Amino acid sequence: MFRLLSRHGKRTQSCLTSQRRYEHHRAVIAIRREDINPWERRAPLAPRHIKELTNAGVKVLVQPSNSRAIHEKYYMRAGAVIQEDISEASLIIGVKRPPEEKLIPRKTYAFFSHTIKAQEANMGLLEDLLKKEVRLIDYEKMVDANGYRIVAFGQWAGVAGMINILHGLGLRFLALGHHTPFMHIGMAHNYRNVSQAIHSVRDCGYEISMGLMPKSIGPVTFCFTGTGNVSKGAQDIINELPVEYVEPHELKDVSETGDMTKVYATVLSRHHHLMRKSDGIYDPLEYEYHPELYTSHFRTSVAPYTTCLINGIYWDPHTPRLLRRTDAQRLMRPPKVPPAATEGSPVLPHKLLAICDISADTGGSIEFMIECTTIDKPFCMYDADQHIDHDSVEGNGILMCSIDNLPAQLPIEATEYFGDRLFPYIWEMLPSDATRPLDEEDFSPQVRDAVITSNGVLTPKFEYIEKLRERMEKAQILKKAGMKRVLLLGSGYVSGPVVEYLTRDEKTQVTVASVLLKQAEELAAKYPNTIPVTLDASSQEGHLDSLVKDHDLVISLLPYSFHPLIAKHCINRKVNMVTASYLSPAMKELQSSAEEAGITIVNEMGLDPGIDHMLAMECIDQGKADGCTVESYSSFCCGLPAPECSDNPLRYKFSWSPYGVLLNTISPAIFLRDNEVVSIPAGGSLMDSTLPMDFLPGFNLEGFPNRDSTKYAESYGIETAHTLIRGTLRFKGFSKAMSGFIKLGLINSEPCPIQHLTLWRDLLCKQIGLSSSISQDAFEEAVYERIGKDELAMDTLRWFGMLSDELVPRADNVLAALAKHLEARLSYDKRERDMIILRNDVGLRHPTGELETKHISLVVYGDPTGFSAMAKTVGYPAAIAARMVLDGEITTKGLVVPMTKEVYGPALARLKEEGLHFMSKSSLQE
């Protein structure tokens, strides 16, 4: 504490200088709402800190929050402006990390990011900070010249943690058959303030001093590790009990013969338990530089005589652990000579009953603390013999409390304490401009050395994070020997069936790499042998290469534009690859390189392309084997909402990229009809080429051609066909409704940034050359004229709120804004299901002269509680292809598409096993 006060004294003059600098300059700072954890009720600054800022002419914005412990009216009285939009501020501060999607680009932020140890849970946040060119000041790295943290909640973590574990001890003693005075103490957050909590602790202490502790449990002993603010805060609470402090080596005696009218405590420093492995000596200077040479004898010298361990030490992977799993097993053994006991006065099963790990370092100094507890579920029992923990205070084991946001239980005091330590540095943070180079900022070493990201890169002190992260990932991926390792790129719509199918084999391990770590973690939680990692393939080529190197096969479910890049890394690392996307010209250029590398790259292994190819080739190859000539080929496919879920003007919902769906409506198309090449130009004519499709009349479908169908004459070996068309299906009405968007110029990907608070009505006026001041009636009449007086198209615009004052989503162009707007209204509800329809019609001329048309249909419905139809029909083919490559069933090197019998034969058979049933009928014509 003295060190902190001294440090603040040194900064007083510079703070005053900075304060004067802002007396005539309107700086803007914002306090963001804490929205990651419902228990997070703290703020980085209290109202009295805000008052100083506003008095100096600084504008302070505070996001409204009903969960903040200090009411916003007190911030308003201090001069803050309470408002949702904080984009005006150049400096945005909080306590905990914001959600990635709420980060505002090119701003300076200050919060606890928990990224400095490459914590996987926060790597997605780090990626977003870099991508959005945010300057991050991390409180955890604000330290003084001696390396001590100067902006922290440590003391209040100790206070709350100690209150909690005393409450937990009361519950644990009760579960073991003993009522104790600890039952008077509640959880820290149940008190209005710390004074109330201390009153309860004193009540407990009074009863202990009166000799009301059960004799059969023996003297209660506490061990505090560390001498910093955390440990001191915890000791402040135990000091309210009748406590006697002893040296660690004295703990054995007092634990056996101590006075039952008091409790005993010891404070463990490094010299008490650390010793060099070679000779048992402790050298503090050597330990600072070579902690790996040391071990701890805590497990034998102190732990056996400790009732409750309060752990507050920082742990590094190179430093010795206090307790390992094997130590816990020994400490849980009952005493060799148990004291006399009766049914009403039972003895304790072992001395060490509870651990409060305030450091909350999972897998750290307490090795078996592998998952933090939470404020709403604060305790679990660790059973070392079973190596499990369960949410209880009963049964065998050691009571564990390891909450990682303890100060949130005492939010008002914690806010005041933290704000006092942060406030002197706010003045130099205020002028920070995240668009300027970091070197141009006038930061003190305490602030400069805490900047983790700036200008889109990790700062030099923190460049190690990327390497550390890769090492940690590598260790996790390679942990299990004898596994076939698959790297799955993407965690979106269709990833689930891929992971589910591949991990049925216990010898297959899947690494799910995604920009959205939460999605990858959800997959990993559902399926065995699945590892989630964060990866942005567009900006982390080095990380991508590292992951590719550690796997046997890569499945890319990323957009097709990424595939050439990924394929090049696979070729370089001699790793096989599978994609569900079309074989692009850029991929075709890699044919010889893939062959030379001796790898297989399977393409077009999804639904369309994929299943459509396999059904076509099965029919065509069989027809040729029967001596037939192919005269016509027609294939239409779609992903649609099930009919009962199609209640919107487009009769459509998105199961893949909305941007791609919309862009396809203005694409060109080429197909062959009665030996005549039909070409549809780009720009919107495609929607005018839609025809009714009555092969499944109950569905009321329409269809339009898709891309260049004529190239499949050579691919399928059907140059004899006079008609060849591949197309897209929609429910009838889609093309008319979509034509309205096209005629209004909304399917336009030209750069045209949509500004904040733009209205749809104003955007449409701009698109058709009207003044935004035009009357509503005249506006709607002009729109009606522009879309060709089409009632359905007009009703569509009304349904989507685009003739009103609804806001246009912010985007880089009009098409992207429309895609966001439609996606928000046309996404699947959890209870809704999608479906896919695929129809192939193959005209075969038999040697006898008969014309047989094979009608092959596939209709698949999604399962609202399982996989969508799109996920099944894209994911399972890709997974099956991956399995075939892993097992050596596909041996062809280079680029492979599923048009040969050795691929489509087994694949179609296995798709049937997954519930995809193909219907085939024939019609004959003389």
Side-chain angles (χ1 to χ4, degrees):
M1 184 63 74
F2 177 75
R3 181 179 291 108
L4 289 173
L5 290 173
S6 300
R7 176 66 201 142
H8 292 159
K10 290 175 185 177
R11 289 192 55 79
T12 301
Q13 185 174 355
S14 65
C15 289
L16 290 174
T17 302
S18 297
Q19 188 167 343
R20 284 194 295 270
R21 188 193 321 165
Y22 281 95
E23 284 176 350
H24 302 290
H25 177 74
R26 193 101 170 126
V28 184
I29 180 177
I31 296 178
R32 64 170 305 275
R33 176 172 50 248
E34 302 295 326
D35 44 13
I36 284 291
N37 187 306
W39 283 99
E40 190 50 79
R41 298 172 291 158
R42 293 172 288 177
L45 296 175
R48 58 186 172 82
H49 304 122
I50 301 305
K51 186 68 174 173
E52 282 198 54
L53 289 170
T54 55
N55 283 346
V58 178
K59 183 176 182 180
V60 181
L61 306 177
V62 176
Q63 272 192 324
S65 173
N66 287 348
S67 62
R68 194 179 291 121
I70 300 178
H71 198 279
E72 59 191 36
K73 73 178 181 181
Y74 296 110
Y75 285 98
M76 290 176 66
R77 287 176 185 172
V81 178
I82 311 298
Q83 67 180 47
E84 185 66 31
D85 183 8
I86 56 174
S87 59
E88 180 186 356
S90 58
L91 173 64
I92 300 172
I93 62 173
V95 177
K96 294 293 189 179
R97 52 158 289 177
E100 286 95 325
E101 67 274 10
K102 293 188 179 180
L103 282 172
I104 304 174
R106 292 175 288 283
K107 300 286 186 183
T108 298
Y109 277 80
F111 55 83
F112 288 107
S113 73
H114 301 295
T115 58
I116 61 173
K117 296 181 186 176
Q119 294 97 317
E120 189 59 39
N122 294 317
M123 288 300 96
L125 168 69
L126 187 61
E127 295 303 335
D128 248 47
L129 291 166
L130 294 169
K131 191 181 298 182
K132 293 182 177 179
E133 300 180 12
V134 167
R135 176 172 293 155
L136 168 64
I137 301 169
D138 194 315
Y139 306 131
E140 190 171 359
K141 298 306 293 181
M142 292 180 69
V143 297
D144 64 14
N146 296 314
Y148 290 99
R149 288 172 59 182
I150 53 180
V151 180
F153 290 98
Q155 177 182 328
W156 292 98
V159 169
M162 194 68 217
I163 294 169
N164 292 340
I165 201 62
L166 291 176
H167 168 70
L169 268 177
L171 297 177
R172 181 59 180 152
F173 276 129
L174 190 65
L176 293 171
H178 308 280
H179 170 78
T180 65
F182 295 114
M183 289 298 292
H184 293 308
I185 302 171
M187 289 290 289
H189 61 266
N190 288 334
Y191 298 102
R192 187 169 63 86
N193 53 44
V194 74
S195 299
Q196 285 190 342
I198 287 172
H199 186 78
S200 295
V201 176
R202 286 174 179 168
D203 283 348
C204 168
Y206 175 75
E207 291 198 3
I208 292 173
S209 68
M210 294 291 290
L212 300 183
M213 287 290 286
K215 296 284 189 293
S216 63
I217 68 176
V220 176
T221 57
F222 295 86
C223 178
F224 297 87
T225 62
T227 56
N229 289 331
V230 169
S231 181
K232 288 173 182 174
Q235 291 171 53
D236 285 344
I237 296 300
I238 204 172
N239 289 342
E240 302 297 336
L241 299 176
V243 60
E244 179 181 336
Y245 283 88
V246 298
E247 288 298 307
H249 69 271
E250 298 174 317
L251 205 61
K252 181 178 187 296
D253 288 340
V254 298
S255 73
E256 296 169 352
T257 61
D259 187 346
M260 291 295 294
T261 64
K262 62 177 73 172
V263 299
Y264 294 89
T266 191
V267 179
L268 196 74
S269 295
R270 289 176 177 177
H271 69 276
H272 289 129
H273 70 107
L274 293 173
M275 62 181 183
R276 197 157 43 217
K277 295 173 185 176
S278 59
D279 58 12
I281 304 297
Y282 174 67
D283 180 339
L285 187 60
E286 181 186 55
Y287 180 76
E288 283 294 332
Y289 293 99
H290 296 287
E292 71 279 0
L293 300 178
Y294 286 75
T295 187
S296 169
H297 55 74
F298 173 79
R299 62 186 69 92
T300 56
S301 61
V302 181
Y305 316 110
T306 300
T307 305
C308 179
L309 167 64
I310 297 91
N311 183 39
I313 56 174
Y314 175 85
W315 184 77
D316 181 89
H318 300 293
T319 58
R321 287 189 165 94
L322 279 177
L323 291 175
R324 303 162 303 185
R325 180 192 172 198
T326 52
D327 302 325
Q329 288 175 317
R330 284 193 292 270
L331 292 166
M332 283 179 58
R333 291 172 188 161
K336 292 180 180 177
V337 184
T342 65
E343 186 177 348
S345 184
V347 297
L348 298 177
H350 41 79
K351 185 65 177 177
L352 183 62
L353 292 183
I355 297 175
C356 182
D357 192 357
I358 300 176
S359 72
D361 260 327
T362 55
S365 53
I366 311 296
E367 182 187 39
F368 47 85
M369 198 288 282
I370 57 174
E371 187 175 355
C372 291
T373 57
T374 60
I375 294 174
D376 46 348
K377 291 185 177 178
F379 305 113
C380 68
M381 292 294 297
Y382 175 69
D383 185 337
D385 291 324
Q386 299 291 327
H387 198 36
I388 59 169
D389 50 36
H390 51 92
D391 179 23
S392 173
V393 296
E394 299 179 354
N396 297 324
I398 300 169
L399 184 76
M400 303 288 294
C401 180
S402 52
I403 299 168
D404 64 0
N405 59 336
L406 285 164
Q409 293 184 272
L410 299 166
I412 295 176
E413 291 97 331
T415 295
E416 296 276 356
Y417 177 90
F418 185 83
D420 286 345
R421 279 143 189 81
L422 173 62
F423 187 71
Y425 300 95
I426 289 294
W427 300 105
E428 63 181 273
M429 293 181 190
L430 273 169
S432 174
D433 181 350
T435 64
R436 283 198 306 253
L438 180 59
D439 291 344
E440 294 182 11
E441 300 295 353
D442 186 20
F443 288 154
S444 65
Q446 289 76 18
V447 173
R448 181 177 301 279
D449 291 347
V451 177
I452 293 181
T453 65
S454 186
N455 309 104
V457 297
L458 290 166
T459 57
K461 277 192 68 174
F462 298 98
E463 288 173 349
Y464 74 87
I465 293 176
E466 191 59 44
K467 296 292 183 186
L468 174 60
R469 173 185 173 190
E470 289 182 17
R471 285 201 303 272
M472 292 166 64
E473 283 178 357
K474 187 181 184 77
Q476 188 180 15
I477 291 165
L478 301 180
K479 185 176 181 181
K480 290 185 179 180
M483 304 293 283
K484 291 180 178 177
R485 297 184 175 88
V486 177
L487 174 62
L488 175 62
L489 301 177
S491 60
Y493 292 121
V494 301
S495 301
V498 176
V499 180
E500 186 275 328
Y501 187 89
L502 290 174
T503 55
R504 293 177 196 173
D505 175 14
E506 61 182 16
K507 287 295 184 181
T508 300
Q509 176 179 287
V510 178
T511 302
V512 182
S514 173
V515 174
L516 303 173
L517 181 63
K518 188 175 180 182
Q519 282 188 353
E521 288 175 333
E522 288 170 356
L523 285 169
K526 287 181 184 177
Y527 304 109
N529 297 326
T530 304
I531 298 170
V533 299
T534 307
L535 173 71
D536 185 345
S538 65
S539 61
Q540 294 179 297
E541 204 169 332
H543 189 196
L544 170 65
D545 187 65
S546 175
L547 287 169
V548 169
K549 179 180 64 176
D550 292 332
H551 291 80
D552 302 301
L553 182 139
V554 175
I555 302 174
S556 177
L557 297 178
L558 299 177
Y560 76 94
S561 58
F562 284 94
H563 296 335
L565 170 68
I566 296 158
K568 287 173 184 176
H569 285 283
C570 289
I571 290 167
N572 184 47
R573 296 295 181 180
K574 294 181 168 54
V575 173
N576 296 314
M577 178 177 170
V578 173
T579 87
S581 302
Y582 282 104
L583 185 59
S584 66
M587 285 292 286
K588 288 178 182 178
E589 291 176 3
L590 301 175
Q591 170 70 26
S592 59
S593 299
E595 288 177 347
E596 289 169 12
I599 68 167
T600 300
I601 301 179
V602 182
N603 302 268
E604 305 194 4
M605 200 63 183
L607 167 64
D608 173 10
I611 295 176
D612 58 346
H613 290 334
M614 294 189 281
L615 291 175
M617 293 311 301
E618 183 183 51
C619 180
I620 290 166
D621 284 350
Q622 185 59 52
K624 288 182 177 180
D626 294 338
C628 299
T629 302
V630 179
E631 292 197 352
S632 64
Y633 175 78
S634 167
S635 178
F636 281 82
C637 186
C638 67
L640 293 169
E644 72 274 16
C645 305
S646 62
D647 54 344
N648 65 75
L650 288 179
R651 286 82 160 156
Y652 188 77
K653 292 196 172 179
F654 294 106
S655 59
W656 68 290
S657 164
Y659 192 93
V661 170
L662 296 175
L663 195 59
N664 276 356
T665 63
I666 60 168
S667 297
I670 303 174
F671 62 96
L672 188 65
R673 181 172 58 202
D674 296 329
N675 285 321
E676 180 184 348
V677 175
V678 180
S679 180
I680 298 172
S685 299
L686 193 62
M687 293 297 95
D688 299 328
S689 306
T690 302
L691 294 172
M693 308 296 287
D694 57 1
F695 53 82
L696 294 172
F699 284 127
N700 197 24
L701 299 168
E702 63 183 26
F704 49 87
N706 184 24
R707 310 192 190 194
D708 183 1
S709 301
T710 60
K711 65 182 181 182
Y712 288 94
E714 181 179 353
S715 302
Y716 289 173
I718 54 173
E719 291 87 347
T720 55
H722 57 70
T723 295
L724 201 167
I725 183 170
R726 286 165 49 88
T728 300
L729 295 171
R730 293 287 183 260
F731 285 129
K732 193 170 288 185
F734 174 88
S735 58
K736 273 199 170 188
M738 191 58 66
S739 291
F741 296 144
I742 295 170
K743 290 171 182 175
L744 290 169
L746 298 177
I747 314 297
N748 183 353
S749 60
E750 292 293 318
C752 177
I754 306 300
Q755 300 302 317
H756 186 47
L757 301 180
T758 299
L759 306 178
W760 273 113
R761 185 185 185 279
D762 293 343
L763 178 61
L764 290 184
C765 283
K766 179 181 177 183
Q767 291 297 107
I768 58 178
L770 298 175
S771 167
S772 58
S773 60
I774 192 173
S775 71
Q776 183 67 21
D777 288 344
F779 162 68
E780 291 193 15
E781 182 62 32
V783 170
Y784 188 56
E785 289 288 337
R786 177 60 65 94
I787 62 176
K789 299 185 177 181
D790 189 303
E791 292 291 347
L792 177 58
M794 199 67 180
D795 289 343
T796 300
L797 293 168
R798 285 198 186 93
W799 195 90
F800 285 110
M802 296 169 68
L803 299 179
S804 67
D805 288 343
E806 279 200 39
L807 290 175
V808 181
R810 294 179 74 169
D812 292 332
N813 57 60
V814 175
L815 176 57
L818 179 63
K820 287 182 180 181
H821 187 73
L822 298 189
E823 185 177 26
R825 289 157 175 77
L826 299 181
S827 295
Y828 284 93
D829 183 83
K830 287 183 179 179
R831 297 161 295 179
E832 294 182 328
R833 60 179 184 160
D834 69 332
M835 71 173 185
I836 69 95
I837 301 174
L838 170 62
R839 173 68 170 225
N840 283 356
D841 294 293
V842 185
L844 300 170
R845 181 70 67 180
H846 284 267
T848 59
E850 287 180 316
L851 178 62
E852 178 184 12
T853 303
K854 292 275 190 180
H855 310 287
I856 306 157
S857 301
L858 171 65
V859 178
V860 179
Y861 288 93
D863 178 359
T865 60
F867 298 132
S868 68
M870 186 63 72
K872 286 187 275 191
T873 52
V874 175
Y876 280 134
I880 288 167
R883 172 59 58 205
M884 291 172 72
V885 174
L886 288 170
D887 293 348
E889 292 181 79
I890 299 177
T891 57
T892 304
K893 305 306 176 188
L895 305 180
V896 174
V897 288
M899 297 185 190
T900 57
K901 191 168 186 177
E902 55 265 34
V903 177
Y904 71 66
L908 288 174
R910 289 168 199 176
L911 286 171
K912 289 176 184 176
E913 293 171 3
E914 301 306 318
L916 274 61
H917 301 294
F918 313 108
M919 298 171 287
S920 183
K921 296 180 180 179
S922 292
S923 59
L924 289 173
Q925 185 178 337
E926 293 294 336

